[in-house]
Amino acid sequence: MDATALLIAATLNAGTVLALAALGLLINEKAGIVNLGAEGMMLCAAIAGFATVVHTGHDWLGFAAGMAAGAGLAAMFGALVLWLGTNQYATGLALSLFGVGFSAFAGIDYVQAKLPERPQYHWFGLGDAPFVGPALFQQHPLVYGAMALAAGLVWFLYRTRAGLVLRAVGESPQSAHALGYPVRRIRLAAVVFGGAMCGLAGAYLSVIYTPLWVEGMVAGKGWIALALTTFATWRPARVLLGAYLFGGVTMLQFHLQSHGVQVPSQLLTMLPYLATIVVLALISRNPAWIRANMPASLGKRFDPEG
C-alpha cells in the first residue's frame, strides 16, 4: 500500500511538469500557432528559476523568473512568426536549439549549487492519513494548481466570449480579422501565455521535481508536452489525464527497479518516449478524427494584408 501511494504521488508530481507545459501549448495551438520551441523554453526557464532560488531562497520568485524567461522567448518567437512571417516550424526548432545551448552555457556555475531545504506540505490535516495522505495530500501547491488550470481553461475556452474569439482565430483568422478582431495580437497573447506556462513547468522541474541543475535536464519533456496536445485532441481535461498517464509511465521504471524487476534499465528509461510514439501512431491511424478536432488554421501563416 505504501509503495502504491508513493507511486501515485510521484505520478502526480511528474505529470505536473507535462501538464503545465502542455496546457500552455494547447492555448498556442487553439490560436493556430505551433511552437516547437517548448524544450528550449523549458530549459532556459529551468536555469532561470534555479539560479533565482539559489540567490534569493524564495521558490515563488524562481517560478516568476521561469515564467518571465519562457514568456520572453515566446514573445521573440511570436514577433518572428507573426510580424516577420518566418516559418513556424523552423523558428520553433531554432528556438529549441537555442534554448539547449544557452541554458547549458548559463548553467555552468550552478551544476554543484544547492537549494535551501525543501518545505513539506500536509494539506487539510490529511497528510498523515493512511494511503491517501502520502498519495494525494503531501503535494506541492502547483500540483493542485495544474488541475485548477485545466478546469479554468475548459471554462475559458468553452464558456467565455474571449475563449470563443481565441478559437475563432485558430479556426479562421481571415473571418476573425474581417469582424475586426486583432488576430496578430490575440495570437501573440496566446503564444506568450504558452511560453509562460512552459517556463513555469521548467522552473518547477529544477526547483521542486528534481531540485538541482543538470545540463539537458528537461530530457525530452517539451517534446512529450507537444505530443500531448495531439494525443488529447486539443481538450484541456484530456491533456491533464494524458500528462498523468505519461507521468505514471515515467515513474513506473523506478517503481519496477525498486521491486527488483529484472528488466534492462535502458528499456525502462525509454518507456515514456516509446509510449509517446505508440500513442501518436495509434491516433494517426484515423486522420479524419484528428482533422475534426484540430484547429483548421493550425500552423498556417496569416497575413492581414491578404
Side-chain angles (χ1 to χ4, degrees):
M1 291 288 285
D2 289 341
T4 303
L6 292 176
L7 177 61
I8 293 172
T11 295
L12 294 176
N13 197 19
T16 297
V17 177
L18 296 173
L20 290 171
L23 288 169
L25 295 170
L26 173 74
I27 295 299
N28 273 15
E29 297 187 10
K30 279 291 189 181
I33 300 295
V34 177
N35 186 353
L36 299 182
E39 186 86 359
M41 291 190 295
M42 290 176 69
L43 278 167
C44 288
I47 183 56
F50 184 82
T52 300
V53 177
V54 167
H55 291 293
T56 67
H58 295 289
D59 290 358
W60 295 100
L61 288 178
F63 295 145
M67 292 179 72
L73 290 171
M76 291 171 51
F77 168 85
L80 290 170
V81 167
L82 297 171
W83 274 272
L84 298 181
T86 60
N87 182 275
Q88 293 183 24
Y89 301 98
T91 307
L93 287 172
L95 176 59
S96 186
L97 294 172
F98 168 80
V100 171
F102 180 79
S103 64
F105 172 74
I108 291 174
D109 294 333
Y110 295 94
V111 174
Q112 301 295 332
K114 295 185 182 299
L115 296 180
E117 185 176 351
R118 304 290 80 200
Q120 300 295 319
Y121 297 95
H122 291 76
W123 297 103
F124 313 115
L126 297 173
D128 295 323
F131 188 76
V132 296
L136 302 176
F137 295 106
Q138 294 182 12
Q139 301 287 352
H140 189 273
L142 278 182
V143 173
Y144 311 110
M147 301 176 189
L149 177 62
L153 290 182
V154 171
W155 173 80
F156 169 76
L157 288 171
Y158 302 106
R159 293 291 185 270
T160 68
R161 181 178 180 83
L164 177 62
V165 171
L166 179 72
R167 289 187 288 126
V169 165
E171 293 290 340
S172 179
Q174 292 82 7
S175 299
H177 177 69
L179 291 172
Y181 292 108
V183 172
R184 280 177 169 172
R185 280 186 286 166
I186 291 171
R187 285 186 161 183
L188 180 62
V191 167
V192 170
F193 175 82
M197 289 300 99
C198 285
L200 182 58
Y204 181 86
L205 180 67
S206 63
V207 174
I208 302 298
Y209 181 65
T210 53
L212 50 82
W213 165 253
V214 177
E215 180 182 339
M217 66 183 300
V218 174
K221 291 180 177 63
W223 298 109
I224 294 178
L226 277 164
L228 264 176
T229 58
T230 304
F231 165 74
T233 59
W234 296 271
R235 303 278 180 163
R238 294 177 186 174
V239 165
L240 187 66
L241 292 175
Y244 292 143
L245 172 63
F246 284 103
V249 172
T250 301
M251 290 298 103
L252 184 61
Q253 59 179 299
F254 304 112
H255 184 72
L256 293 176
Q257 288 173 347
S258 67
H259 283 70
V261 177
Q262 298 301 315
V263 179
S265 60
Q266 294 85 353
L267 178 62
L268 294 176
T269 302
M270 63 184 266
L271 275 179
Y273 311 102
L274 181 61
T276 304
I277 294 171
V278 170
V279 167
L280 289 177
L282 291 174
I283 291 175
S284 299
R285 294 178 62 187
N286 190 354
W289 185 58
I290 291 182
R291 286 196 298 269
N293 291 279
M294 182 178 69
S297 294
L298 183 62
K300 297 178 181 178
R301 179 183 174 186
F302 168 72
D303 185 357
E305 306 300 328

